[in-house]
Amino acid sequence: MTKNDRLSRLLLELPWLIQNKNTSIDNFCAQFDLSRDEANKDLSLLTYVGPGRFGGELVDIQYDDENISVIDSQGFDRPLKLNYIEAVLLLLGVRNLSEMSKDKQEILDIDNKLSGLIGSDIANEKYKEEYSNKKNRIKEAIANRKQLVIHYVDSNLKLTSERSITPIEIKALDSKEYLTALDNNSSQKRSFRLDRIIEVALVPLEASPQEITQNDIYSEKISVRTKSWNASNILDLNIPYTISGDELQIEMDLIDPEFLLEIILRLDIKTEIMCSKKMKSNLQKMLNDRIEAIL
Amino acid sequence: MSVSKSERILNLFFVLINSKRPIPRHEIRQRVNGYEECESETAFERMFERDKDELRNTGIKIDTVPVDPLFDDELGYQVDSKTFLTKTVEWTPSERAILSLASTTWHRTEFENLAKSATLKTGGSINVKSSDESTENYSGELLKFRSIMRSLNSKSIMDFRYVSFDDNEPKSRQVIPKKLYRQGDNWYFDAYELISTTWKTYQTSRIVGEIVIKPASVIELNLLKKDNNQTLPRTVQVEINQNASLISHITGGIAIGDRTIDFKFFDEKSFAKYLLRFSPIIVSIDNEAIREHYKNYLKDFMEVLSHD
């Protein structure tokens, strides 16, 4: 071990001990890959340093054969910032777990916390804060059985008018969080992407949520075949697809032709679309309108 | 009793973080336990410079600033506040366990120590039992990232097939990567492409198949040094029929008016393809080339829909 390695380690040890109060000396040794003797030397050195030379100006750590407690850290109570590579490694490690884990919500929470620890070039601090406040208000509504009035950006990127909903739960799927809620007007269960909910106001629950009903809604089975590398373009749409070799296939019952068009426009021109002639003609008309509308 | 080097450097660190003002060099010499052993001012200055370098190597940046903001005749030193995490994060026991597992992803790779150090900085614990018995469990995605990180670390060439935004088939690319980063849901890397000799940005999920790592020749590394100026993105304003400030975070642009979003782009054709997903709300695009590509794409999709 070089002296520089030791200095780096000592600078890691003190904030770690503050965050892991009353840790055992065995755990400390294991975490920092130290023998008991090395651990004692590190702890001893740490109690000799500080902004001055006398008792009250030195780091105070109490330790015995069992536990370690930091009594006075002399102002060094915040850990050092993750450097860029460290942050990327942790995020990728968590991402690797998310591909194997069943508890997507917990993984997503960790991802968000880690992103919050990293500089602004990776995470957008202001937006993260707004998002977190919004999520807390929704959680509060779920916990206290309150209704919400929201504005929502729908799949066509149009801002809907006020919508009254009864929130049920927040679920994570891939890298996005979704709110499952009862739409109080249509009495249907809906899924809202959290980042597309714009404004949230809590209102007391006036009556028990109505029973969820399934109204008769016209839907059509559609099938789309494209190349597998287009998958990254549709991740955020939360639609089911399968990949076999270099082919990606989407099969779904579709209600909204505009949503199908959004999917298609994210793919490429070699995409095959299987749907009714009526649907295709609808889509062509929408495309034509958009071509003519653009200035 | 003489003060060890680590002890002296830590004392310097503590003196600096406990001061609300920049500390001049002569005061550092008086206050830091360990500097009193220097026999001369020159010896102190040499030792102080070495200690600052040691701290810098551990990620602690020391700024040199005027002691009095109104006069710059006396300089002092202070620890850059960006050295520390801006906030502490409370981890639940199960989150710590997950962080610990995440760190073992890099077990037995060249990134093992860095990943451990990152976990310890977050206050998390390292999964010490996972070590030798654990089997490597890498997803295809992670293998891709490992190759990118390895190439970044060693300044090697990455040889891979890539489908750019406006391509329909993957094409071969040979690049030397410079930086890996995440934006929204996607990961990107900036890299120098050896065939076109230009800097480009690649989305990791559009790499098809394996990445082959090859050592870069001196000539290729020199190319990188000569052409170190990355192309700067250009901007385009897109008018929409919705409230821009409420939805700009979904589009990746910045709202600059009630109905206008400002986007950064590198390539007109690729950017036009990206804009297609916002077509239900787009009213105008203030760049003729992008607008034409955008219209042509919409026409191409009309053609796709005409097939039975």
Side-chain angles (χ1 to χ4, degrees):
Chain A
M1 183 183 66
T2 65
K3 284 191 175 172
N4 196 36
D5 285 341
R6 188 178 187 209
L7 181 64
S8 300
R9 191 179 70 219
L10 287 161
L11 287 164
L12 279 179
E13 286 172 348
L14 191 54
W16 187 87
L17 284 168
I18 293 167
Q19 291 187 76
N20 292 270
K21 293 181 178 70
N22 295 319
T23 193
S24 72
I25 196 139
D26 286 338
N27 187 34
F28 178 67
C29 289
Q31 294 303 318
F32 289 90
D33 199 16
L34 300 171
S35 66
R36 277 243 174 185
D37 187 40
E38 286 170 324
N40 278 325
K41 280 183 183 163
D42 277 6
L43 292 168
S44 169
L45 190 146
L46 284 171
T47 59
Y48 279 109
V49 296
R53 298 161 198 225
F54 307 105
E57 298 171 319
L58 297 174
V59 169
D60 188 1
I61 302 174
Q62 289 186 357
Y63 60 99
D64 53 29
D65 287 343
E66 297 292 322
N67 293 319
I68 310 168
S69 298
V70 178
I71 309 298
D72 188 347
S73 63
Q74 293 295 344
F76 186 23
D77 45 12
R78 281 185 300 162
L80 300 179
K81 194 173 251 177
L82 301 177
N83 66 35
Y84 201 85
I85 294 178
E86 288 171 340
V88 169
L89 289 172
L90 270 193
L91 278 169
L92 290 175
V94 170
R95 178 195 163 111
N96 188 45
L97 292 181
S98 87
E99 287 167 17
M100 296 181 270
S101 164
K102 285 181 185 164
D103 193 345
K104 305 278 185 204
Q105 185 63 57
E106 194 162 36
I107 297 277
L108 198 58
D109 286 345
I110 294 175
D111 188 302
N112 284 334
K113 281 185 183 177
L114 276 176
S115 299
L117 295 179
I118 301 166
S120 58
D121 53 348
I122 290 188
N124 181 336
E125 278 297 318
K126 182 175 171 280
Y127 172 64
K128 290 261 172 199
E129 198 179 325
E130 281 173 14
Y131 184 92
S132 167
N133 291 340
K134 180 168 64 187
K135 190 175 162 186
N136 286 339
R137 283 203 298 279
I138 295 170
K139 279 183 172 172
E140 186 193 330
I142 296 170
N144 300 319
R145 292 179 54 75
K146 288 187 174 172
Q147 290 181 340
L148 293 171
V149 174
I150 62 166
H151 284 273
Y152 187 69
V153 179
D154 67 15
S155 60
N156 304 311
L157 293 168
K158 287 174 182 151
L159 195 63
T160 62
S161 53
E162 272 189 0
R163 194 183 276 216
S164 164
I165 59 168
T166 306
I168 299 169
E169 62 175 337
I170 295 175
K171 274 186 185 168
L173 193 74
D174 293 323
S175 58
K176 296 277 182 233
E177 287 179 296
Y178 295 83
L179 167 67
T180 308
L182 187 69
D183 185 318
N184 294 333
N185 292 329
S186 66
S187 300
Q188 293 208 1
K189 213 173 181 181
R190 299 265 191 225
S191 186
F192 300 94
R193 225 173 81 179
L194 241 61
D195 65 337
R196 291 189 171 209
I197 296 177
I198 301 299
E199 285 168 356
V200 179
L202 270 66
V203 289
L205 195 63
E206 287 166 1
S208 300
Q210 301 160 45
E211 287 298 308
I212 297 165
T213 57
Q214 282 298 327
N215 294 344
D216 288 336
I217 297 168
Y218 171 75
S219 71
E220 179 179 328
K221 194 171 275 300
I222 60 112
S223 174
V224 177
R225 273 207 297 269
T226 187
K227 292 292 185 187
S228 58
W229 45 80
N230 287 314
S232 63
N233 293 340
I234 54 168
L235 274 182
D236 62 320
L237 294 178
N238 187 20
I239 52 172
Y241 63 82
T242 53
I243 290 181
S244 168
D246 68 353
E247 188 175 281
L248 181 152
Q249 182 150 5
I250 302 165
E251 285 196 352
M252 59 193 294
D253 287 316
L254 200 86
I255 299 164
D256 179 5
E258 287 213 39
F259 186 51
L260 176 58
L261 191 56
E262 176 169 3
I263 298 170
I264 295 167
L265 290 176
R266 288 172 178 231
L267 307 175
D268 59 50
I269 55 166
K270 290 195 175 171
T271 300
E272 290 175 51
I273 303 141
M274 275 71 77
C275 63
S276 68
K277 280 192 174 173
K278 189 182 166 193
M279 176 71 87
K280 278 194 179 176
S281 151
N282 250 338
L283 298 175
Q284 281 177 311
K285 184 179 178 311
M286 282 190 275
L287 275 175
N288 199 44
D289 289 348
R290 290 181 196 180
I291 294 168
E292 285 180 1
I294 189 73
L295 299 170
Chain B
M1 192 175 76
S2 83
V3 173
S4 74
K5 184 178 166 187
S6 296
E7 190 180 337
R8 182 185 68 242
I9 297 173
L10 284 173
N11 284 331
L12 168 63
F13 171 70
F14 277 102
V15 164
L16 293 173
I17 64 166
N18 277 281
S19 174
K20 287 184 178 143
R21 58 179 178 84
I23 309 179
R25 197 179 281 233
H26 65 86
E27 203 177 317
I28 286 175
R29 190 177 180 189
Q30 285 166 4
R31 287 175 58 182
V32 173
N33 193 9
Y35 286 144
E36 73 279 3
E37 292 166 15
C38 295
E39 287 173 0
S40 66
E41 184 61 23
T42 316
F44 159 70
E45 290 200 355
R46 277 204 301 264
M47 188 181 270
F48 178 53
E49 289 303 318
R50 281 196 303 268
D51 290 352
K52 277 198 299 175
D53 284 344
E54 295 263 3
L55 278 174
R56 198 172 292 122
N57 289 338
T58 65
I60 295 165
K61 193 177 162 224
I62 296 171
D63 291 334
T64 309
V65 287
V67 173
D68 184 334
L70 298 176
F71 303 95
D72 58 2
D73 53 348
E74 188 178 24
L75 295 175
Y77 299 88
Q78 63 185 19
V79 173
D80 185 337
S81 59
K82 291 186 195 129
T83 294
F84 302 99
L85 288 180
T86 46
K87 54 187 172 187
T88 51
V89 171
E90 295 291 328
W91 300 100
T92 64
S94 83
E95 284 176 340
R96 284 193 176 177
I98 290 172
L99 269 180
S100 169
L101 264 179
S103 147
T104 60
T105 300
W106 303 101
H107 180 59
R108 281 188 286 184
T109 72
E110 59 272 59
F111 306 114
E112 182 173 11
N113 287 336
L114 277 169
K116 277 184 182 174
S117 144
T119 311
L120 293 168
K121 276 184 184 174
T122 64
S125 302
I126 291 162
N127 190 349
V128 284
K129 286 178 190 159
S130 73
S131 337
D132 298 331
E133 307 83 34
S134 68
T135 51
E136 288 187 358
N137 196 359
Y138 298 123
S139 64
E141 271 297 284
L142 197 75
L143 282 172
K144 203 187 276 179
F145 281 112
R146 258 186 83 179
S147 298
I148 299 169
M149 296 287 284
R150 194 172 287 158
S151 175
L152 270 169
N153 237 19
S154 56
K155 286 194 177 155
S156 311
I157 296 171
M158 287 166 57
D159 190 340
F160 56 91
R161 292 167 72 233
Y162 185 81
V163 191
S164 69
F165 222 66
D166 53 337
D167 274 341
N168 298 324
E169 294 292 335
K171 287 180 184 159
S172 173
R173 308 286 176 129
Q174 291 198 339
V175 307
I176 302 175
K178 187 183 183 186
K179 186 180 179 186
L180 173 69
Y181 56 97
R182 189 172 76 174
Q183 231 170 35
D185 292 335
N186 294 314
W187 285 83
Y188 301 86
F189 59 93
D190 295 337
Y192 189 74
E193 198 191 29
L194 296 170
I195 296 168
S196 64
T197 61
T198 50
W199 286 96
K200 289 189 176 170
T201 299
Y202 297 88
Q203 190 177 325
T204 58
S205 58
R206 302 188 77 86
I207 294 175
V208 180
E210 282 183 25
I211 299 172
V212 177
I213 307 281
K214 299 172 181 172
S217 68
V218 178
I219 296 169
E220 285 157 339
L221 287 173
N222 279 341
L223 267 178
L224 202 68
K225 280 182 201 159
K226 274 184 194 164
D227 196 359
N228 210 14
N229 296 326
Q230 280 179 260
T231 317
L232 291 172
R234 286 172 286 160
T235 60
V236 57
Q237 291 180 8
V238 176
E239 191 188 337
I240 57 170
N241 60 16
Q242 301 290 312
N243 184 324
S245 61
L246 292 180
I247 67 161
S248 62
H249 68 282
I250 297 169
T251 64
I254 296 167
I256 54 163
D258 287 352
R259 306 259 159 182
T260 308
I261 298 181
D262 197 55
F263 288 96
K264 286 188 165 51
F265 73 96
F266 286 96
D267 174 75
E268 284 98 348
K269 198 174 175 197
S270 296
F271 185 69
K273 178 87 194 295
Y274 173 72
L275 278 183
L276 290 180
R277 66 185 61 189
F278 309 120
S279 58
I281 58 166
I282 290 180
V283 175
S284 70
I285 302 167
D286 83 338
N287 176 304
E288 196 180 338
I290 294 175
R291 191 167 55 244
E292 281 313 302
H293 286 303
Y294 172 85
K295 279 185 179 179
N296 287 337
Y297 274 126
L298 289 175
K299 285 174 189 163
D300 288 345
F301 278 103
M302 286 272 277
E303 179 66 23
V304 171
L305 285 163
S306 67
H307 301 153
D308 282 332

